[in-house]
Amino acid sequence: MPIFNASLTAIDISETRRYAGLNKADFPQKLLEDACFEVQMLAQAKGVWELYEYDSKTSTLSANPDYLLKGNKITGYLKEAKKVAVLAVTIGEALEAAITEHFSKGNYAYAVLLDAAGTTAVEMAADQLNKAISQQASKLGFHTLSRFSPGYGDWNITEQPAVLALAYGQTIGIQVTESCMLVPRKSVTAVIGFVPTQTIKDCTKNHCNNCIQQNCLARKEDH
């Protein structure tokens, strides 16, 4: 599987503010800008993905061995899917060292902003890979659903090791801890359903209001 190199020409400041939980807080704009710029300089965004046949009747990916998806949200999300792309994305390890250094120097606010900007960066990289996957799906006659990651809804975070393996995330330096956290921290895994273009329905889209994590800082308001 080829490695996807994302291009982060700028880090979204408004998304960084949201991930930092600052939407209703007064915060120096320059500090936000500096954090976003530093993350842009440090990020080494890479992604990888693999496409699998999917049987919605048995909720099974045709892998070796086959992988059974568990959870009402994830299986409902994929009920019309015929194929599933499994992806992994990271922005590398350099940012972690910078965050640790700023914390050690007492620059707590800036370190928090760096962390939030890092989350924004990896999501931006995932969006770019998502777009590339969607283009490939279109060539095959499919429409792609939105990303769905372990830990979202009722899809247990304990599935993280299996999902990472299915995406071959280790080829871009991602590992998973015993507590099912990804390393480097600013990494994501996800699945994307491939639905035949003629059967796509808006109701299959993934929304924050379907998730049980009500207090998540990354939660988006439903409009």
Side-chain angles (χ1 to χ4, degrees), residues 51-129:
L51 185 62
Y52 296 91
E53 297 295 324
Y54 180 68
D55 186 341
S56 60
K57 293 181 180 179
T58 60
S59 303
T60 302
L61 291 183
S62 295
N64 185 23
D66 288 348
Y67 174 62
L68 176 65
L69 286 159
K70 301 176 183 178
N72 292 329
K73 293 292 184 184
I74 183 65
T75 55
Y77 157 77
L78 293 172
K79 64 181 180 180
E80 303 286 351
K82 301 301 181 184
K83 300 176 184 290
V84 171
V86 187
L87 65 89
V89 178
T90 186
I91 61 169
E93 300 178 341
L95 178 60
E96 297 301 313
I99 292 172
T100 299
E101 181 181 358
H102 282 289
F103 265 120
S104 68
K105 292 180 178 179
N107 302 326
Y108 305 122
Y110 188 70
V112 168
L113 291 180
L114 279 180
D115 187 84
T119 300
T120 302
V122 73
E123 288 296 328
M124 290 175 64
D127 286 343
Q128 290 184 28
L129 178 55

Side-chain angles (χ1 to χ4, degrees), residues 5-11 35-46 89-96 98 114 117-125 128 184 186:
N5 293 296
S7 176
L8 301 176
T9 56
I11 307 301
C36 288
F37 181 74
E38 183 168 352
V39 170
Q40 181 187 343
M41 295 297 99
L42 292 174
Q44 296 180 327
K46 295 181 179 180
V89 178
T90 186
I91 61 169
E93 300 178 341
L95 178 60
E96 297 301 313
L114 279 180
T119 300
T120 302
V122 73
E123 288 296 328
M124 290 175 64
Q128 290 184 28
K186 298 308 178 184

